[in-house]
């Protein structure tokens, strides 16, 4: 049985939808960054800093970081449940992935917002 994608329960449809949404966010962020770098080939630290001083860019970057973590988590969870059969090994692997994801988010927030 397929459940609604708006439910908070874990379902295959919800995972599929989240993968697509996060991939779209990551695509738009990557295209923007590549375009910005190509249009500003002699960019220095001051211009780079000015780009990330804006609240909109910080929020967009935070959205990209959260999307990357969600995308990676769903992917690694799917791979680990398919290919790592021993429960203990799968638990360790998923715990390590979760810890790394948390560290990356905290690190990204510290870099973006200077906390």
């Amino acid at each position: 049985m397929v459940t609604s994608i708006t439910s908070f329960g874990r379902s295959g449809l919800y995972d599929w939808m989240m993968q697509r949404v996060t991939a779209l966010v990551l695509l738009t962020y990557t295209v923007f960054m590549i375009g910005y770098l190509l249009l500003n080939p002699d960019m220095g630290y001051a211009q780079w800093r000015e780009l990330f001083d804006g609240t909109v860019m910080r929020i967009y970057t935070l959205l990209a970081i959260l999307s990357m973590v969600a995308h990676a988590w769903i992917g690694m969870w799917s791979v680990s449940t398919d290919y790592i059969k021993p429960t203990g090994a799968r638990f360790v692997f998923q715990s390590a992935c979760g810890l790394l994801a948390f560290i990356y988010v905290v690190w990204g927030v510290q870099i973006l917002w200077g906390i």
Side-chain angles (χ1 to χ4, degrees):
M1 181 172 120
V2 177
T3 60
S4 171
I5 62 170
T6 58
S7 71
F8 291 108
R10 188 148 182 89
S11 71
L13 181 59
Y14 177 80
D15 289 347
W16 182 87
M17 191 65 184
M18 284 303 297
Q19 283 289 90
R20 279 21 178 212
V21 170
T22 57
L24 185 61
V25 170
L26 292 171
L27 175 68
T28 61
Y29 188 80
T30 301
V31 168
F32 171 78
M33 290 304 293
I34 289 172
Y36 190 83
L37 292 171
L38 289 175
L39 293 173
N40 299 290
D42 56 343
M43 181 173 50
Y45 176 75
Q47 188 177 359
W48 186 255
R49 174 81 185 200
E50 185 179 324
L51 172 66
F52 283 94
D53 275 345
T55 304
V56 172
M57 188 61 189
R58 285 183 179 185
I59 292 171
Y60 191 32
T61 302
L62 181 61
L63 180 63
I65 290 170
L66 294 174
S67 293
M68 180 190 66
V69 167
H71 194 90
W73 172 254
I74 292 170
M76 296 309 288
W77 182 85
S78 297
V79 168
S80 67
T81 55
D82 286 346
Y83 296 106
I84 303 175
K85 297 303 178 189
T87 306
R90 186 172 56 240
F91 176 77
V92 169
F93 177 79
Q94 290 175 349
S95 296
C97 288
L99 179 63
L100 283 173
F102 176 75
I103 290 169
Y104 291 152
V105 169
V106 170
W107 193 17
V109 168
Q110 285 179 335
I111 291 169
L112 276 175
W113 299 99
I115 296 173

